[in-house]
Amino acid sequence: MEKSVPAVKVVDVHKIYQLRGEEVHALRGINLEIPHGEYLSVMGPSGSGKTTLFNMVGGIDRPTKGRVFIDGVDLSKIPSKSMAWLRCRKIGYIFQTFNLIPVLTAQENVALPMIFLGVPKPEREKKAAELLRSVGLGDRLDHRPTELSGGQQQRVAIARALANDPAIILADEPTGNLDLNTGFAIVQLLYRLKAERGTTVICATHDLKMIDISDRVVFLRDGMIENIERRRALTLTAEEFESD
Amino acid sequence: MSSKEEDSSMEIGSISFPVTEAFRYCVESIRKRFTRALITAISILLGIAFYVTIRSMNTILPNVGQQPPQAYQMLMAIIALLVCGVGIVNSMLMSVTERYKEIGTIKCLGATDTSVLEIFLIEALLLGLLGGVIGAFAGWIAAVGIFSFQFGIGGVFPAGKTAIVMLQYLRYIAEAVGISVFLSVVAAAYPAFYASRHPAEALRYEI
Ligand SMILES: Nc1ncnc2c1ncn2[C@@H]1O[C@H](COP(=O)(O)OP(=O)(O)O)[C@@H](O)[C@H]1O
Ligand SMILES: [Mg+2]
């Protein structure tokens, strides 16, 4: 019953930035429904509005016009405290620049979102360690971000995004700062987690290698959806990734 | 919108971020960014020390037979306050602005505006207090040291007036610590609150 409500619904979303008196139309009427458990890629050249859309869906910024629903909840209608809870509990964020807290260890970074839900310290540490093991960093718990490679930092960020078992993972160009192979491994990891946990993944990218893995691909251009493509048959399955 | 969206079954919970957690976050942050925190504290300390030295001179000079004009003393106090104020505000603004991206990130992880403010204000309070107390005593010791070297200890603590003079010195020290804490907290509050209210912008921020 709950599954009939889409994980994300975007209705006629517009975003206009004011830049020194000029209006920048970053989004011009986006309509999108994303069912639970889907892996959706948002493709588009730089400046097409991917990050802006990501911010709208993630409740990081408000649309100039239109609405965003997460699990049926209208983001424009909830108070900021509830919004914070939604960001904490329902959505996991992954950024191009990893955005780990530089002074915290890998384990502390992953434990951070759990603090805001009031999870006791021993439990947070245990779960953070488990998550880091699940992304292949079981031996890096006490490393600081600067002591990790880009690919490893992004794995920590993925573990952190999963900390509160979110329903939705929002990834904004997660491979943008990584070389080809490392980037591919990150995408595979995201796909594996989606398959194992049934998490909805929305991944903004301008990287074509993401397409093979997506259930659907949205092509964005100048703030509008140009095309939506469905993958009929996935060339890769979760099992194949397990064996990596 | 349609009624379908209205009757969503999702239950919205709430964020808990006790002050103890905010305090722990600050202490960790100061501990692990020790050099950066030290630089901020030192620049607060220097400003405050300068302020207290100048203020103490206003008490000492008349006792050693030098009575600078009232207007001159006022001017010196104002300049000292400005120098120290600008120094504190600048270093505090810098140290928070450097962390815009961190603020954007923790907003995404579930921090409320209140949690962000708690973290940054407690940190500013600790640094302001540390820099203020050490700076005030350092400035006072400098003034007392220099003048007792030149005019003897009697110039700094004149016989029969020690208690009164001491009270004046203490007033300057308390004043300086107050200024230090107040300016540190206010200067940190502004950028922390701004970044917290504009997380999208904070996330875009590159140093
Ligand atoms: N804060 C902002 N102020 C002004 N213009 C912005 C702002 N953020 C994004 N834009 C503009 O909106 C458009 C879309 O940007 P963005 O969503 O970042 O694209 P993408 O992530 O696809 O590269 C661009 O033209 C960009 O310059
Ligand atoms: Mg972008």
Side-chain angles (χ1 to χ4, degrees):
Chain A
M1 178 211 101
E2 208 190 76
K3 296 287 173 200
S4 67
V5 179
V8 177
K9 186 171 172 183
V10 178
V11 182
D12 193 33
V13 162
H14 291 253
K15 179 68 181 179
I16 301 171
Y17 292 108
Q18 302 288 339
L19 196 62
R20 281 175 243 104
E22 295 240 350
E23 289 191 341
V24 180
H25 291 253
L27 296 176
R28 315 163 183 256
I30 301 287
N31 288 288
L32 199 57
E33 257 189 52
I34 307 166
H36 284 274
E38 185 173 66
Y39 192 121
L40 181 87
S41 288
V42 179
M43 298 276 304
S46 183
S48 56
K50 301 183 296 295
T51 299
T52 308
L53 182 60
F54 172 95
N55 288 345
M56 301 296 136
V57 172
I60 302 169
D61 206 351
R62 291 191 180 279
T64 312
K65 178 170 169 265
R67 290 169 190 231
V68 176
F69 299 86
I70 299 291
D71 243 350
V73 173
D74 185 342
L75 297 191
S76 68
K77 289 200 178 138
I78 57 171
S80 65
K81 289 250 164 149
S82 306
M83 198 61 242
W85 180 83
L86 211 82
R87 286 194 283 250
C88 185
R89 177 64 187 78
K90 286 283 164 182
I91 305 173
Y93 302 82
I94 299 168
F95 307 92
Q96 179 174 353
T97 50
F98 323 134
N99 291 21
L100 299 176
I101 308 301
V103 298
L104 300 182
T105 63
Q107 190 177 19
E108 290 166 337
N109 264 288
V110 177
L112 189 54
M114 292 184 255
I115 295 182
F116 297 113
L117 284 189
V119 179
K121 197 159 189 253
E123 219 173 293
R124 312 202 278 265
E125 284 172 350
K126 187 163 161 276
K127 188 164 181 193
E130 275 164 20
L131 282 166
L132 283 167
R133 271 193 288 278
S134 78
V135 298
L137 290 176
D139 54 345
R140 293 283 191 276
L141 301 189
D142 295 324
H143 287 236
R144 301 272 186 81
T146 47
E147 297 157 2
L148 298 170
S149 71
Q152 288 171 332
Q153 288 188 52
Q154 197 59 300
R155 282 169 192 273
V156 176
I158 291 173
R160 183 178 68 179
L162 294 169
N164 291 328
D165 303 308
I168 301 162
I169 295 277
L170 278 176
D172 190 9
E173 308 208 24
T175 61
N177 280 12
L178 303 173
D179 64 63
L180 197 76
N181 288 330
T182 317
F184 195 58
I186 289 293
V187 177
Q188 287 181 324
L189 175 63
L190 275 177
Y191 187 83
R192 193 193 88 200
L193 294 166
K194 172 231 132 133
E196 283 173 5
R197 298 166 158 253
T199 315
T200 310
V201 177
I202 304 168
C203 187
T205 180
H206 59 235
D207 207 335
L208 279 162
K209 64 178 172 281
M210 293 287 199
I211 285 198
D212 281 346
I213 267 167
S214 327
D215 298 324
R216 249 184 339 156
V217 185
V218 168
F219 291 90
L220 210 60
R221 182 174 291 277
D222 294 331
M224 284 187 284
I225 294 182
E226 195 178 47
N227 188 16
I228 300 184
E229 228 173 72
R230 180 172 290 284
R231 303 281 308 169
R232 258 181 236 99
L234 281 173
T235 47
L236 297 160
T237 65
E239 286 69 35
E240 284 173 55
F241 291 126
E242 305 277 26
S243 60
D244 273 347
Chain B
M1 290 315 303
S2 69
S3 61
K4 200 183 96 194
E5 276 89 19
E6 300 296 344
D7 48 56
S8 113
S9 53
M10 182 165 70
E11 263 182 50
I12 295 181
S14 62
I15 292 296
S16 86
F17 192 64
V19 179
T20 48
E21 288 293 354
F23 192 77
R24 182 143 53 181
Y25 192 107
C26 300
V27 172
E28 280 297 282
S29 161
I30 292 177
R31 209 163 61 83
K32 292 184 176 157
R33 250 184 279 252
F34 189 71
T35 322
R36 185 64 186 88
L38 198 67
I39 290 170
T40 308
I42 287 174
S43 68
I44 294 172
L45 183 157
L46 289 176
I48 289 297
F50 179 62
Y51 176 77
V52 173
T53 305
I54 298 295
R55 292 288 273 165
S56 303
M57 273 170 62
N58 286 350
T59 296
I60 296 168
L61 286 177
N63 291 330
V64 295
Q66 296 182 13
Q67 183 68 334
Q70 200 66 39
Y72 173 81
Q73 289 193 25
M74 278 284 284
L75 188 69
M76 283 301 279
I78 289 170
I79 289 173
L81 190 62
L82 280 178
V83 169
C84 126
V86 169
I88 291 173
V89 169
N90 177 52
S91 56
M92 227 42 235
L93 282 176
M94 285 278 292
S95 76
V96 179
T97 308
E98 277 171 9
R99 292 165 67 188
Y100 259 28
K101 203 169 205 159
E102 176 178 337
I103 296 177
T105 306
I106 64 173
K107 281 291 302 251
C108 289
L109 304 182
T112 58
D113 294 336
T114 318
S115 346
V116 172
L117 276 179
E118 270 174 31
I119 291 171
F120 282 83
L121 296 195
I122 293 174
E123 196 169 323
L125 186 90
L126 293 177
L127 290 180
L129 207 58
L130 184 80
V133 169
I134 299 176
F137 280 98
W140 176 69
I141 289 167
V144 164
I146 292 165
F147 284 94
S148 53
F149 183 72
Q150 199 174 347
F151 302 104
I153 199 82
V156 183
F157 297 107
K161 277 170 66 186
T162 318
I164 299 168
V165 172
M166 202 56 211
L167 249 137
Q168 248 164 349
Y169 291 142
L170 277 178
R171 210 193 81 201
Y172 299 145
I173 289 170
E175 218 171 66
V177 173
I179 290 170
S180 170
V181 169
F182 176 77
L183 288 181
S184 302
V185 168
V186 170
Y190 174 73
F193 190 67
Y194 182 87
S196 183
R197 292 303 292 267
H198 302 90
E201 213 178 302
L203 283 169
R204 284 165 63 91
Y205 189 80
E206 298 291 342
I207 299 166

